[in-house]
Amino acid sequence: MTKCAMADGFNLEQQHGKGRVRVARVWRKAAIDVIVEWSVSISLLSDCLPAYTVGDNSSIVATDTMKNTVYAKAKECSEVESVEDFAIRLAKHFTSFYPQVTTAMIRIVEKPWEQIVVDGRPHDHGFKLGSEKHTTEVSLKKNGALSLTTGFEGFVRDSYTMLPETKERILATQVTASWRYQFESISKISAKSFTFVQRYQDVKKVLVDNFFGPPHTGIYSPSVQNTLYLMGKAVLSRFSDIASIQLRMPNLHFLPVNLSSKENPNIVKFADDVYMPTDEPHGTIEATLTRSSSKL
């Protein structure tokens, strides 16, 4: 999305911003610390045509100012804040503070700092870096129109599943999920009745439950495509505030190992027990489920 204007008879599409601003925020509580690490990218659409046509930069929001704003707004968060709420906080600032800014687009990737466990107990002040990344993208117009997408990247899980052609094989994938909320304006989000942190955890649980199935029996999967569809369908069926969900689930192969030679055709014969893991090349499987009444 870019801001389009006419310049000397030409169409000019432009936006400017600051990428990969890294900030860590620690909330020191009486009993337990909370830490988040965010990589923030900002893009602004603004009425700044003179900067391009005549070199007048008076309407440009400096990218260094954008960087400093991230740190200043992080300081304002006196209470623990979700990555979605912080993205909205930034977008509201840029669209309200600067008259020339018409739209603010904020993308944040949150690194997964998790409490370490010592002697079976979560440590109050010790953390380790996990592998799953929480992402959010916010686009906010000056009139309050809002587009909000959230999700995660790098959620790796393996599951055994029965398939007729090999009797038993491993379904392995790396799930990347993102979902778009129904909120069409900033005023539709109620701080009292809705929390992004809880919805994020709830969506993940639905996805995991529908991927693995019951802990003792699992769930039959005829294909990655079918599993993907059932996961997305379960999310939309459960949460009315989500308009669409996109899932990317590459098929990471675990190939049965058979070793043979002319002299010995069965040096190692596969028996549902030895595999060669490989992710190159891998199948690419992706789909988006959208409510029929949603406006994209």
Side-chain angles (χ1 to χ4, degrees), residues 150-198:
T150 195
F152 55 79
E153 299 175 354
F155 183 64
V156 183
R157 289 293 185 268
D158 297 340
S159 175
Y160 290 95
T161 184
M162 300 296 293
L163 288 179
E165 65 268 24
T166 61
K167 185 180 177 184
E168 185 169 1
R169 64 179 290 185
I170 296 176
L171 167 60
T173 188
Q174 176 174 302
V175 178
T176 299
S178 61
W179 50 95
R180 184 173 61 83
Y181 287 101
Q182 294 270 30
F183 311 122
E184 294 183 354
S185 71
I186 197 73
S187 62
K188 299 297 183 181
I189 301 176
S190 172
K192 294 183 178 179
S193 61
F194 183 86
T195 63
F196 289 108
V197 172
Q198 186 60 52

Side-chain angles (χ1 to χ4, degrees), residues 49-79:
L49 185 61
Y52 292 88
T53 56
V54 296
D56 179 1
N57 294 327
S58 59
S59 60
I60 292 290
V61 181
T63 60
D64 191 62
T65 299
M66 297 182 199
K67 178 198 68 177
N68 294 336
T69 300
V70 171
Y71 297 116
K73 291 299 174 181
K75 177 65 175 179
E76 287 182 6
C77 303
S78 57
E79 299 295 328

Side-chain angles (χ1 to χ4, degrees), residues 127-153:
F127 299 86
K128 66 177 181 179
L129 186 61
S131 59
E132 178 188 321
K133 294 180 180 179
H134 183 170
T135 65
T136 193
E137 293 186 15
V138 167
S139 176
L140 179 64
K141 296 182 181 297
K142 192 178 288 291
N143 64 7
L146 175 71
S147 174
L148 172 60
T149 303
T150 195
F152 55 79
E153 299 175 354

Side-chain angles (χ1 to χ4, degrees), residues 18 20 25 63 73 81 114 125 169 183 209 282:
K18 194 76 166 180
R20 301 179 68 178
R25 181 62 161 99
T63 60
K73 291 299 174 181
E81 189 157 291
E114 305 164 349
H125 312 291
R169 64 179 290 185
F183 311 122
D209 288 350
H282 63 255

Side-chain angles (χ1 to χ4, degrees), residues 186-260:
I186 197 73
S187 62
K188 299 297 183 181
I189 301 176
S190 172
K192 294 183 178 179
S193 61
F194 183 86
T195 63
F196 289 108
V197 172
Q198 186 60 52
R199 177 62 76 245
Y200 179 77
Q201 296 297 335
D202 290 343
V203 171
K204 281 207 305 179
K205 185 178 188 307
V206 169
L207 291 172
V208 170
D209 288 350
N210 282 270
F211 182 82
F212 287 109
H216 296 296
T217 61
I219 188 171
Y220 174 77
S221 173
S223 66
V224 177
Q225 287 87 343
N226 182 248
T227 297
L228 181 154
Y229 174 76
L230 293 177
M231 291 166 65
K233 179 182 177 182
V235 169
L236 294 186
S237 298
R238 174 79 178 275
F239 306 110
S240 60
D241 49 58
I242 293 178
S244 65
I245 181 167
Q246 181 187 60
L247 289 163
R248 293 193 296 274
M249 295 171 57
N251 195 351
L252 307 180
H253 301 295
F254 280 64
L255 304 177
V257 172
N258 285 296
L259 300 180
S260 63

